[in-house]
Amino acid sequence: MTAPPLVEQQDLAPGPRGGARRRPVARRRDHLVAWLLIAPALAYFLVFLLYPALSALYYSFTDWNLRSEASWVGLANYTDLLFDDVKYPHFWKSVGVTLQYTLLSVPMTLVAAMVQALLLNAIRRGSNLFRLLLFLPVVTAEAAVGAIWRWLYDPQYGLINSALGLFGIPGQNWLNTPELVIPALAFIATWQCGISMIIYLAGLKGIPGSIQEAAIIDGAGPWQRFWRVTFPMLRPTTFYLVVTGVIAALQVFGLVYVIFSGSGRSVTGGPEQSGLTYVLHLYLFAFRYDAMGAACAMSFILLVFIMIVTALQFRFLKREAA
Amino acid sequence: MSRGLVRGAVAALLAIGLTACGGGSGGGQGSDKELTFWMYQDRTPQAGQVIEKIRKDFEAANPGVTVKIVKIPKDDYNTKLGSAVASNSAPDAGILDQPLVSKFALDGTIKEVPAGLINEADYYKGALDTNRANGKLYGLPADQTCVALFYNKKLVPTPPKTWDELKQVAAQVHAADPNIAGMNVPKGDGYGGWMFPAIVHGAGGEMVDDAGKKVLFDQPPAVEALQLWVDLLKSSPRQITDSDKPFENGLAAMTITGPYDVPTIRADFPDLDFGVAPLPYKTEPAGNIGGEDSVVFSTSKNADLAWKWLVFLTNPQNNGQLADALGGFPVNVKAQVVAGGPEQAAFLEQLKVAHARPAVPQWIQINDEIIAPAIESALTGKATAQQALADAAAKTRTLLGWNS
């Protein structure tokens, strides 16, 4: 954003290639405007994303409670988190909970989204209405979602137990039985699959009708057409949804926080820590147990883990997707 | 035209950003004395008026002094306060959650109460004790609250006084109707962990001896207290009590909770005929304590004035009203309790025998991460009460370095 050097301005003399010569200055002016235009976004990135991230990296090597001076402890936060089960008794538990949640919720979400997208793509009338209805769970406030699902899962009055009762299946105490907590949470995530559904729908619209027609002429039935044409054509979409879905699932926080907090409940992550996801655990150390340094270290362990998982996905899934 | 517009917009944005940053600096400077005080957002409009009146009275009594009260939603309070302290813009004084006092005291964030500021006998002992760390006093209580036994009068005609009666009543209720639980037994979570010491004190025990650096919750009183909850589960299946609001819906005959639930129950369940009684005990009446303390921050330039303000908040004239506005009971023994429902008597009786939680800075973490899981493992039958608490106590000793 410095002033343009005078030397170049003298080159402005009109000549046979005057138009071409004029361009650098015009371009420079465009640059200035361009910088001004992206300045807010850039400032936002630098001030609210990059600077805090770098600070967090620094604090992850310190013992810091937000109030007193941070004291340098080197790698102690990292080694304690990984190996000291007195200081962090539930760290590995939270890792396990999060992995279990990711492995359940991502496939369930994708299947549900795919089925919904196929159904929406098949109907001629009212598809806008159904698209709206299926998308509604995504735009509903998390607090309301939490409250509604607490009622649905209620062991005494819950609709889910009533529905199971119709088939003779005994009612469960969903959110208070350690083994059922993660499946119950994954089911809520599946219900909120609207964004994946919209992306799948866009992918379906992008498959040329001529390919489907050719398959029909070749005598392919609906099942074959799905597995041989639609599904392979959607592979790039599926790949994108798997990668973003895994990243989001590993960071799940809001839903768990809402479900396991509120009047008379505490945020300690459900029965026997069965709903203590990684980021909830991190949040508790940052804001409840005054260990901001350790919380920063946790966030960087998660960052590295997500980068590794994503790299592996690109290595092994993308080739298949291409 | 469009470029001018863009430049103007950018300039305007920058200007807004700069003024926003400029406005954030902390108070406390200026020629006239200004005192900044942070507290939770008002619970009701009436509470706001009470606090406004106390503020005006203080300013009238101290000419040239302005008290600036900053109200912050309770859920964000500790986070905002932490950031303010970290960026050296803490207020002169403020409300502080009880378990945070010992943390803030030991890292020098708050000042010690000056000698001779108050007569300790004017305050409820349990409430005052929540301000101690290393035996020294670091703040004044603002209001206090506690839990007591809520009972459904239709199912429980006379509330139990002792543990044995409690178990009996619970068994009778459940035997009469197997769809109703005798008691909503607390769980092994942070909230249950907060209530547990009240039961332990009722058997004459203590969680820790913080002066002597000894962990005591593996001793018989604590083990018996946990065994009581385990025994109660027999007549109080979780399939019933895990439902939404089991006590309010008449599915659990008794529950343990605090005065903060009374208005909600009255409003949402007007048909529920309930009473409140002190907690049943084994050897001596006892209870726990909650509520807010008020402290002066080390960075305050008007510390003397700040202490004067805190004393003003807790004097007999103001504390009754203030405590009511904050949703608790007065901490000054001479303050008039704002008249409320018939349940008040039980809470006031309970507060006389209240015990402050241990003044250990890591207590919340120990409560959530060690004691709560131990309670849960005993309640689910994965360990006996003795094993669970012995294991938890050993972990706590290691964490605190109290191995002697």
Side-chain angles (χ1 to χ4, degrees):
Chain A
M1 286 201 265
T2 48
L6 285 171
V7 188
E8 288 189 38
Q9 267 190 346
Q10 288 165 350
D11 278 347
L12 272 177
R17 288 151 64 206
R21 291 200 154 207
R22 209 160 291 224
R23 218 178 283 144
V25 165
R27 204 184 285 154
R28 237 172 277 122
R29 263 195 209 138
D30 283 350
H31 280 182
L32 186 66
V33 174
W35 277 109
L36 280 171
L37 282 173
I38 63 166
L42 192 68
Y44 170 79
F45 173 75
L46 292 175
V47 176
F48 292 106
L49 293 175
L50 190 66
Y51 170 70
L54 292 176
S55 311
L57 182 62
Y58 165 73
Y59 286 120
S60 76
F61 298 109
T62 65
D63 184 9
W64 187 44
N65 63 9
L66 269 179
R67 296 184 301 276
S68 21
E69 287 291 303
S71 60
W72 185 265
V73 293
L75 285 171
N77 282 331
Y78 290 91
T79 50
D80 285 355
L81 277 168
L82 298 176
F83 305 114
D84 187 341
D85 66 348
V86 171
K87 242 177 160 176
Y88 304 104
H90 306 301
F91 176 78
W92 287 107
K93 173 82 189 175
S94 77
V95 171
V97 165
T98 310
L99 288 180
Q100 200 196 345
Y101 172 82
T102 306
L103 289 177
L104 264 180
S105 73
V106 175
M108 279 165 69
T109 306
L110 290 194
V111 170
M114 172 81 89
V115 169
Q116 290 181 357
L118 286 169
L119 290 174
L120 278 178
N121 202 34
I123 57 174
R124 298 250 173 273
R125 298 184 55 177
S127 78
N128 280 346
L129 175 69
F130 282 105
R131 197 166 56 201
L132 174 75
L133 290 178
L134 291 171
F135 197 72
L136 218 49
V138 179
V139 289
T140 311
E142 203 110 66
V145 169
I148 288 167
W149 280 91
R150 283 202 71 91
W151 289 331
L152 288 172
Y153 281 134
D154 193 287
Q156 291 290 318
Y157 315 106
L159 269 181
I160 299 211
N161 278 355
S162 311
L164 289 177
L166 295 178
F167 300 98
I169 302 170
Q172 303 294 322
N173 193 352
W174 293 97
L175 295 173
N176 295 289
T177 309
E179 297 75 28
L180 294 178
V181 165
I182 288 302
L185 290 174
F187 192 71
I188 303 177
T190 308
W191 173 73
Q192 289 184 306
C193 69
I195 289 181
S196 306
M197 180 267 287
I198 293 286
I199 295 174
Y200 263 136
L201 198 57
L204 282 174
K205 303 269 186 219
I207 298 177
S210 54
I211 301 182
Q212 295 281 11
E213 280 162 26
I216 294 173
I217 292 168
D218 285 345
W223 194 244
Q224 276 179 312
R225 263 181 284 145
F226 173 73
W227 282 114
R228 304 285 166 122
V229 180
T230 314
F231 189 65
M233 295 290 285
L234 284 177
R235 267 195 183 156
T237 314
T238 308
F239 174 70
Y240 168 78
L241 289 176
V242 168
V243 171
T244 53
V246 166
I247 292 176
L250 289 172
Q251 300 181 63
V252 61
F253 171 70
L255 182 66
V256 200
Y257 182 82
V258 173
I259 290 262
F260 291 118
S261 67
S263 62
R265 296 183 289 273
S266 59
V267 289
T268 41
E272 295 174 38
Q273 281 68 39
S274 55
L276 185 67
T277 63
Y278 192 92
V279 178
L280 180 59
H281 186 251
L282 186 163
Y283 167 86
L284 290 174
F285 271 89
F287 296 109
R288 199 167 147 87
Y289 310 148
D290 264 3
M292 193 50 100
C296 289
M298 283 183 217
S299 72
F300 275 91
I301 293 175
L302 181 63
L303 175 74
V304 169
F305 182 74
I306 287 179
M307 290 198 324
I308 293 172
V309 168
T310 310
L312 288 176
Q313 284 173 329
F314 268 84
R315 177 84 176 72
F316 292 106
L317 291 180
K318 201 182 182 189
R319 198 168 28 179
E320 212 186 309
Chain B
M1 159 84 198
S2 68
R3 264 181 208 171
L5 208 68
V6 168
R7 275 173 208 162
V10 169
L13 272 178
L14 285 174
I16 292 166
L18 287 175
T19 45
C21 292
S25 65
Q29 62 266 83
S31 54
D32 268 334
K33 280 199 171 174
E34 190 187 77
L35 196 66
T36 326
F37 182 72
W38 279 24
M39 61 183 295
Y40 300 144
Q41 210 164 48
D42 301 327
R43 296 164 58 248
T44 57
Q46 291 82 348
Q49 290 163 13
V50 167
I51 289 151
E52 185 58 18
K53 184 181 177 300
I54 298 176
R55 186 185 73 81
K56 284 201 175 125
D57 289 350
F58 183 76
E59 287 180 357
N62 297 276
V65 172
T66 346
V67 181
K68 191 177 147 208
I69 296 181
V70 181
K71 292 177 180 169
I72 296 166
K74 193 170 180 175
D75 286 348
D76 297 337
Y77 190 85
N78 292 340
T79 319
K80 287 237 163 79
L81 187 59
S83 327
V85 171
S87 60
N88 265 329
S89 52
D92 291 297
I95 290 289
L96 194 60
D97 199 15
Q98 283 173 1
L100 296 181
V101 173
S102 63
K103 289 187 185 189
F104 279 50
L106 295 180
D107 58 31
T109 306
I110 54 176
K111 285 188 193 272
E112 198 187 328
V113 174
L117 182 76
I118 54 158
N119 177 9
E120 294 193 7
D122 289 345
Y123 292 81
Y124 279 84
K125 183 178 182 305
L128 197 62
D129 281 349
T130 62
N131 292 284
R132 289 187 207 278
N134 278 348
K136 293 178 193 156
L137 202 57
Y138 283 91
L140 301 182
D143 74 313
Q144 56 177 342
T145 186
C146 63
V147 295
L149 184 77
F150 285 48
Y151 61 99
N152 186 325
K153 285 186 177 167
K154 276 194 194 121
L155 302 165
V156 182
T158 36
K161 284 204 172 59
T162 64
W163 287 6
D164 288 337
E165 286 174 27
L166 176 64
K167 281 193 265 191
Q168 245 170 34
V169 172
Q172 279 164 6
V173 168
H174 189 57
D177 184 349
N179 292 321
I180 293 180
M183 162 133 185
N184 183 16
V185 181
K187 295 169 128 10
D189 55 16
Y191 191 63
W194 175 65
M195 286 193 254
F196 182 61
I199 319 298
V200 176
H201 285 291
E206 272 193 85
M207 297 299 281
V208 301
D209 164 11
D210 39 67
K213 304 205 169 204
K214 285 197 175 69
V215 175
L216 298 175
F217 58 77
D218 54 353
Q219 301 301 304
V223 175
E224 288 162 11
L226 185 50
Q227 189 59 44
L228 171 72
W229 285 5
V230 174
D231 292 344
L232 281 169
L233 276 186
K234 283 178 208 140
S235 55
S236 315
R238 282 192 167 177
Q239 183 76 9
I240 301 176
T241 59
D242 281 341
S243 173
D244 190 44
K245 300 190 190 299
F247 177 73
E248 289 87 334
N249 285 312
L251 288 178
M254 294 176 279
T255 193
I256 304 177
T257 187
Y260 36 85
D261 269 346
V262 173
T264 343
I265 299 179
R266 289 259 154 78
D268 298 348
F269 300 87
D271 297 335
L272 183 74
D273 187 15
F274 72 99
V276 179
L279 291 176
Y281 54 88
K282 183 165 188 258
T283 56
E284 56 189 80
N288 67 354
I289 189 167
E292 281 88 36
D293 290 334
S294 53
V295 297
V296 174
F297 291 89
S298 308
T299 44
S300 170
K301 294 191 184 80
N302 304 312
D304 293 342
L305 192 63
W307 285 118
K308 208 171 169 184
W309 163 247
L310 297 192
V311 170
F312 192 75
L313 289 177
T314 57
N315 72 17
Q317 289 77 44
N318 295 323
N319 193 236
Q321 293 281 337
L322 175 82
D324 186 55
L326 293 174
F329 293 101
V331 292
N332 193 308
V333 288
K334 290 180 201 144
Q336 185 77 39
V337 181
V338 175
E343 73 287 342
Q344 262 190 351
F347 290 122
L348 289 173
E349 200 171 319
Q350 193 78 79
L351 282 170
K352 286 183 197 143
V353 292
H355 294 263
R357 81 192 93 194
V360 177
Q362 302 93 325
W363 189 252
I364 302 181
Q365 188 181 345
I366 293 167
N367 180 67
D368 287 8
E369 292 235 304
I370 299 179
I371 296 174
I375 293 175
E376 190 64 13
S377 71
L379 291 179
T380 53
K382 295 204 167 104
T384 65
Q386 174 72 59
Q387 286 163 350
L389 288 174
D391 178 48
K395 283 179 185 158
T396 307
R397 287 189 187 103
T398 315
L399 185 73
L400 294 174
W402 291 1
N403 276 317
S404 53

